[in-house]
Structure formats: structure tokens, C-alpha cells
Amino acid sequence: MAFLNIEGRSVAYRLLGAAANPLVVLAHPLGMSQAVWDDVLPALLPRYRVLTWDLPGHGASQAWGEGSITPAALAAEALALVEHAGAERFHFAGTSIGGVVGQALIAEHGERLLSATLTNTGAVIGNAELWNTRAGRVRQEGLAAMSEEIVPRWFAPTCFEAEPALKAGWCTQMGRGDDESYALLCEMLGRDTFDGRLAGKGVKVRLLGGSEDMATPPATLEALAAELDGAPLEILEGVGHVPSVEVPGLFAERLLAVMAVELGDVANQGVDYATGLATRQQVLGEEHVARSTANATSLDAPFQQMITRLAWGELWSNDDLSRRERSMITTGILAALGREELTLHLKTAKRIGLSEAELRQVLMHVAIYGGVPAANHAFALAKELGWGQAEG
């Protein structure tokens, strides 16, 4: 876990995975923490860079300061973390109040979003009286005292039966939160809604809910879908308010499907240049691609366009293999053939996050199946580029 000072307040976050992968930002529910994503991470990290963080006064993030909290302020916090990660556009997924953060991003920053997956949330959640009453009780009684009442509303009964320790664990986590920050967030949910603010934004949105969700029942998600121009909605049977905890495998499957690049009818229409360019920039770095583009002349500009559409659009943008796997394949082939592009892809392998052991095995395969001289040259070049450490 790391910390970033945003507007004078320490925010706890995690930034995991290779910089060459697309970024996905995950926002957790009210009263919980970024730990709700832990069981989803193994499915995401082979293909995505993942950013999670703790909301104000939650987890390890510092409590909110003076004044009220707004969805715009939470969205600005998310964008500050994205800027820190060095990303321009990103995927977003948020549950409950995390989904409200997503709605704020859709409403005001839709051009930054590659996709938005909103779960167990609504344009309107509950009503002002409900949330103001809870805020008052939290200030008077404290989160630790109220957790026994609130936490059971998050999960389907069968989930508690399967994992008896789940309730006590999340009650403990909730009880450690800052009472005032939680109360301010409650007041935000009662005050700030997104009725009439989400239509026509042009963002790829997918909605998920739970059939056993008491906090945001299916009708709340249906109303949100209508606000979002009829966005696709799926209600997961037997699931409560936090699918990333209750059914992490299913949740990851749905999220990966939303984030996958839509290549279209490749056989008849190919892949558009913009898709290939975005992938090329992510994998090789924007500076390298800018140099290649700037150095192109009338002679080779069509060639640059072709490899962007074919190599980076049809191959590297395809999710059948991870970028890590494609890097190992590409590096092995270039090493075996002795091509000059090997230098570029040895640098790219570092950017993608290949380990020294993985590169070693790739080049040892080259030695056996492509020839020792080719592998020897590749090892020498890799060492020149900073791979490996001196022994002894």
C-alpha cells in the first residue's frame, strides 16, 4: 500500500501491474475498504494495471477535513490518483458509493473513461431522511456500535452460512472507520443524486446488481439503467450488495468482458487504426510511438499505418493472450531471427513486467530451438539494456 497527498489529505492506494497494460480503477462501497477487490485481483492483473484506494476515513485513508463531501470531490480524488499513475484514459468499476463516484465521472469526465461498470448502486439511493438519520446515529453511537446492524445488509444469507467469519471480519473493518467521514458520506448520498445527469454521455456502461441486495435492490438498478440510455443490466441471482466479495470469480468474468477491446468483424473489416494506435502507445510508450510517427516520410507512412492496424490492432489488442505472453513470444521470435527490433522488445519486456527468470527461459528456448549463437547475441544485448545483476 502507498499514500498520496491530495488536497492536504493522505489517501491510501494500491497501484498494481505493468505500466504497459490498460488501467482499471476500482472504487469500494461505503463502510468497507479497498480490500473488497482482493479476490478479484488475480484475474485482472495478467491483462490490466489496477488502481484501488480507500475513501475518506475508510481503510488507511485520512479522515475528511472541513466542509461537506460531494461526488465531484470524490471523482477529483480518483482523477488525481489516475494522473499519479500516468494514465489519460481508464476503465472504471465501482460498487455502491463507488458506483456514485463512477456516475460523477460519467457525468463530467466521460471522455476519460474507456468503460464504466457500476454495481449495486443507483442514481438515487434511498432518500434524504434515511441517510440523514443514519448520519446522526453514527455521530452519536459510532460505527463500531452500528456495524452489527449494517453489515448483515451487505451480504446474502447464504454467504454468511458459507463463511461464518465474514460478518465479524467486516464489522471489525467498519468499526475502525472515521465516524464523521462516514456521516458526511451518508449526507452526500441523501443530498446529491444523478437524476437527469447521465444521458447522452457516450460512455460504454454495464450495470450489475444482486437479487438479494437490500441496500440497492434491482428496481434501483433498473432506474439507473433508464438514466443511462438503457445501459445493459444483469441481476446476479443469490448475490447481495458486494459481488466482488460474494462471487469474485463471476464478478471478474463480467468485468473482463466489459473491458475487452471490441475488435468487431476482423475477417471482413479488420481493426481500426485508432484501436491499434492506443494499444501500441500503451505497450511501447507514447514517446516511442510519437518518434516513430514523426520520423515517418511519404515512403514509409503507409507501412507505419499498416503495422499499427495489423500488429497492434489485430494481434496485440486481442485478449486471447495477455500482453505478457505476447511479449515473451515476440522476444523469442526476434531473438531467434536476429532482428534489430529485438532491442525495442527487450525494453518493452521490462515495461510489461517480465521477470529476469522469464526472459532467461525465453532465451534458453531460443538457444535450443533457434541456435546458441542467436541466444548468445540476445543475452548480450539484454545485459547491455540493464537486464541481470553481476554475480559475486
Side-chain angles (χ1 to χ4, degrees):
M1 186 183 299
F3 298 88
L4 182 68
N5 188 293
I6 302 175
E7 298 293 329
R9 191 174 58 83
S10 177
V11 176
Y13 74 96
R14 292 180 297 185
L15 181 59
L16 308 171
N21 285 336
L23 181 68
V24 54
V25 178
L26 307 176
H28 68 77
L30 181 66
M32 303 185 85
S33 73
Q34 59 184 311
V36 300
W37 309 112
D38 286 358
D39 291 340
V40 178
L41 293 176
L44 300 183
L45 286 173
R47 288 173 168 77
Y48 293 91
R49 197 179 195 199
V50 180
L51 173 64
T52 70
W53 86 104
D54 288 324
L55 293 176
H58 288 60
S61 282
Q62 190 175 347
W64 192 257
E66 296 294 323
S68 61
I69 304 177
T70 65
L74 297 180
E77 187 167 283
L79 290 174
L81 289 164
V82 169
E83 295 291 340
H84 183 65
E88 178 62 30
R89 303 189 70 203
F90 57 97
H91 299 279
F92 180 89
T95 297
S96 186
I97 196 171
V100 174
V101 178
Q103 292 172 63
L105 290 169
I106 291 170
E108 301 298 333
H109 306 280
E111 75 285 353
R112 302 288 299 274
L113 296 173
L114 295 167
S115 73
T117 302
L118 310 181
T119 95
N120 308 80
T121 189
V124 179
I125 302 176
N127 56 66
E129 181 181 2
L130 179 154
W131 289 113
N132 290 336
T133 297
R134 183 181 290 189
R137 287 189 60 195
V138 167
R139 289 186 174 109
Q140 184 175 21
E141 302 173 34
L143 285 171
M146 292 190 64
S147 63
E148 291 282 343
E149 173 187 333
I150 296 173
V151 169
R153 293 173 54 84
W154 294 343
F155 302 101
T158 53
C159 190
F160 278 158
E161 292 170 9
E163 297 185 62
L166 195 64
K167 178 181 175 182
W170 281 110
C171 282
T172 300
Q173 174 67 61
M174 184 178 186
R176 291 173 176 166
D178 176 65
D179 296 340
E180 181 60 21
S181 298
Y182 185 98
L184 289 170
L185 288 168
C186 288
E187 291 170 343
M188 183 196 84
L189 290 173
R191 179 187 65 243
D192 299 316
T193 67
F194 284 87
D195 279 344
R197 297 176 56 190
L198 300 173
K201 300 300 181 179
V203 177
K204 179 183 179 182
V205 180
R206 174 73 177 271
L207 304 178
L208 296 174
S211 65
E212 308 302 310
D213 187 355
M214 299 172 62
T216 50
T220 301
L221 272 297
E222 291 166 1
L224 177 58
E227 294 285 340
L228 287 161
D229 304 313
L233 165 63
E234 180 181 5
I235 301 300
L236 304 176
E237 286 300 319
V239 175
H241 191 57
V242 197
S244 62
V245 174
E246 296 177 78
V247 285
L250 180 60
F251 177 81
E253 178 184 302
R254 297 296 191 270
L255 181 57
L256 287 168
V258 175
M259 297 190 298
V261 177
E262 295 179 358
L263 298 181
D265 185 359
V266 176
N268 293 311
Q269 299 179 3
V271 176
D272 65 89
Y273 177 82
T275 297
L277 180 62
T279 299
R280 189 180 183 186
Q281 289 171 332
Q282 288 168 356
V283 174
L284 299 181
E286 293 188 11
E287 291 184 3
H288 171 82
V289 176
R291 284 197 304 272
S292 296
T293 302
N295 291 334
T297 68
S298 58
L299 175 65
D300 64 340
F303 169 74
Q304 291 291 332
Q305 295 167 6
M306 180 187 71
I307 62 173
T308 298
R309 285 184 289 102
L310 295 180
W312 298 105
E314 294 197 15
L315 283 180
W316 282 83
S317 297
N318 186 298
D319 273 347
D320 290 346
L321 294 175
S322 70
R323 291 178 180 177
R324 187 187 199 89
E325 292 165 332
R326 292 189 187 279
S327 177
M328 287 192 283
I329 292 170
T330 305
T331 301
I333 293 172
L334 292 174
L337 295 175
R339 297 293 190 246
E340 66 179 60
E341 291 91 344
L342 177 60
T343 298
L344 171 63
H345 280 274
L346 284 169
K347 295 177 181 178
T348 299
K350 274 200 170 186
R351 180 178 169 82
I352 283 179
L354 256 65
S355 68
E356 180 182 313
E358 288 171 325
L359 178 62
R360 182 188 307 115
Q361 286 300 314
V362 168
L363 299 185
M364 289 175 77
H365 271 68
V366 170
I368 297 300
Y369 296 102
V372 170
N376 189 51
H377 169 74
F379 272 116
L381 185 57
K383 288 163 68 176
E384 289 177 11
L385 295 172
W387 285 92
Q389 298 179 358
E391 292 191 344

